């Protein structure tokens, strides 16, 4: 945090932010919201996780508002890398997704807080202030899901595969490598690995072969063609 330039002994420190979201309208809205409120300063924006890493290093913000699902490098990957680098910035996830496959990896990667985009304006301001101070903040829906996950560990098939996860699994079933999948779907290899982690957890599989076999058994990939005789 930096002190405001107004020579007032009682002036509150200004919290600096980096806004990360792949939608320009969302970034513009968040910038306008925070710049219209006292005590905040938006230093910059980024449209994906890779750009967020570069901008975070350049700008050294107090708090990074991080979306999760973005083209290229996603939010969880960026959070994990920021944690690995020992970045000073606190990461507050701001997303529309509150499924276990989104919330748990983000928190495990090092996010300080997790809010949904329908959070009221004042709740978002309070969450950013809390994150800047290093305090964890979770939306009620996310907090409830995390408590449930701790009390009752996930069992296979409690959550369906997303459309993207089915695409990845279909390519895995064809023997496609992670690098080839990334090229085919225009995503990074790290994103492919994240999708595979989610797929394995949802199917209760320990590896690619088991995931494919389970998917065929459950009809997720249709039925395998009988072997030629």
């Amino acid at each position: 945090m930096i002190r405001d330039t107004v020579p007032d002994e009682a002036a509150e420190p200004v919290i600096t932010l980096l806004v990360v979201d792949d939608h320009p309208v969302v970034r513009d809205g968040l910038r306008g919201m925070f710049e219209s409120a006292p005590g905040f300063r938006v230093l910059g924006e980024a449209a994906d996780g890779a750009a967020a890493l570069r901008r975070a290093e350049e700008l050294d913000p107090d708090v990074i508002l991080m979306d999760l699902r973005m083209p290229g490098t996603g939010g969880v990957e960026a959070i994990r890398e920021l944690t690995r680098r020992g970045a000073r910035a606190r990461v507050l996830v701001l997303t529309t997704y509150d499924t276990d496959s989104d919330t748990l990896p983000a928190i495990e990667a090092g996010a300080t807080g997790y809010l949904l985009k329908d959070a009221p304006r004042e709740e978002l301001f309070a969450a950013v202030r809390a994150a800047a101070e290093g305090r964890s903040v979770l939306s009620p829906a996310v907090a409830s899901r995390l408590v449930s996950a701790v009390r009752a560990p996930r069992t296979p098939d409690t959550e369906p595969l997303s459309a993207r996860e089915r695409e990845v699994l279909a390519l895995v079933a064809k023997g496609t490598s992670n690098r080839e999948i990334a090229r085919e779907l225009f995503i990074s290899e790290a994103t492919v690995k994240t999708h595979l982690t989610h797929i394995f957890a949802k199917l209760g599989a320990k590896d690619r072969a088991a995931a494919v076999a389970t998917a065929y058994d459950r009809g997720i990939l249709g039925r395998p063609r009988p072997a030629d005789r």
Side-chain angles (χ1 to χ4, degrees), residues 130-146:
E133 295 172 2
R135 293 185 284 120
S136 296
V137 56
L138 300 171
S139 72
V142 171
S144 177
R145 293 185 74 89
L146 289 177

Side-chain angles (χ1 to χ4, degrees), residues 157 159-178 180-182 184-185 187 191-224:
D157 204 31
E159 188 178 347
L161 298 186
S162 68
R164 177 62 88 184
E165 288 164 353
R166 289 196 299 272
E167 287 180 317
V168 170
L169 188 55
L171 290 171
V172 169
K174 295 178 180 178
T176 314
S177 69
N178 286 359
E180 291 168 336
I181 293 172
E184 176 78 15
L185 299 180
I187 57 178
T191 298
V192 174
K193 292 177 182 177
T194 297
H195 285 314
L196 286 173
T197 298
H198 294 168
I199 290 167
F200 294 164
K202 290 178 179 181
L203 298 182
K206 64 180 180 180
D207 56 31
R208 297 162 72 98
V212 170
T214 300
Y216 275 125
D217 286 342
R218 297 181 186 177
I220 296 173
L221 294 177
R223 295 294 176 185

Side-chain angles (χ1 to χ4, degrees), residues 144-154:
S144 177
R145 293 185 74 89
L146 289 177
V147 169
S148 297
V150 170
R151 290 178 177 174
R154 245 183 312 176

